[in-house]
Amino acid sequence: MTFLQRLPKLPFTVLPLTYFARPTAASLSTMNGSTPAPHPPDSKLNDDTHWRAVLSPTQFRILREAGTERPGSGEYNKHFPKHGYYACAGCGNPVYEAGTKFDSGCGWPAFFKEVDGAVKRREDRSFGSIRIEIRCSACDGHLGHVFKGEGFSTPTDERHCVNSVSIKYED
């Protein structure tokens, strides 16, 4: 339970300052102009009731409870479009350009670089190992894990191993 969830219920809604921020032309421009800028955080995105209403049970398990899908079972594992982007399935925040996806053979969609500012990283010590978990920076939805130094011939030498159910393709 987070600090905010422990606070008593108020008779009015307290909105974070970022709620009032409006996008500017500069914030909407991106590397190649095809991917929208990441969404600002929204206060309702921390509420499990909201998530259970908008996500399927599988999406909730993976995005909100840091689950994983079976390797090779995801819709986007063998999906390699030339254009477009992948957005967080929870909030629609653009997280990966289509051109950064590659076939790693791991059984999950793999990307070598996230959209700037769209993904946050944190240490994950589950299952007896230390990994780097990747989460949507807008809604804190679990995307997967990132691995470095595996020798893939990508510009970053990183493999973002992402659950298909955590993302959706936008053309």
Side-chain angles (χ1 to χ4, degrees):
M1 180 175 276
T2 67
F3 170 75
L4 291 175
Q5 291 170 327
R6 286 181 274 167
L7 292 175
K9 296 290 181 200
L10 300 174
F12 54 89
T13 302
V14 178
L15 299 174
L17 290 178
T18 56
Y19 181 83
F20 299 101
R22 297 287 179 243
T24 63
S27 70
L28 293 175
S29 67
T30 59
M31 294 176 273
N32 65 11
S34 67
T35 306
H39 297 300
D42 189 338
S43 60
K44 73 180 178 192
L45 299 180
N46 292 322
D47 179 22
D48 276 355
T49 304
H50 163 77
W51 288 118
R52 288 188 191 280
V54 299
L55 299 175
S56 72
T58 302
Q59 287 175 316
F60 185 86
R61 182 179 62 81
I62 293 173
L63 282 163
R64 307 314 305 164
E65 297 175 335
T68 192
E69 62 193 1
R70 288 179 298 117
S73 68
E75 173 183 4
Y76 299 122
N77 183 36
K78 297 293 183 188
H79 183 250
F80 297 98
K82 299 276 186 219
H83 306 286
Y85 63 93
Y86 294 87
C88 172
C91 68
N93 186 40
V95 288
Y96 294 101
E97 299 268 351
T100 64
K101 189 170 187 303
F102 69 101
D103 188 1
S104 69
C106 70
W108 290 275
F111 301 87
F112 61 82
K113 184 184 183 314
E114 71 271 17
V115 171
D116 289 341
V119 174
K120 60 184 177 180
R121 301 170 187 220
R122 74 176 197 189
E123 190 175 272
D124 176 4
R125 293 181 169 262
S126 62
F127 302 109
S129 64
I130 299 174
R131 303 180 292 172
I132 303 298
E133 180 186 14
I134 46 179
R135 300 183 77 84
C136 173
S137 63
C139 72
D140 200 38
H142 173 76
L143 300 171
H145 291 85
V146 65
F147 303 92
K148 298 180 181 186
E150 295 180 317
F152 289 106
S153 59
T154 62
T156 60
D157 197 20
E158 288 188 345
R159 175 174 58 96
H160 293 231
C161 185
V162 179
N163 292 288
S164 283
V165 77
S166 296
I167 54 176
K168 61 184 175 185
Y169 174 70
E170 302 285 343
D171 192 12

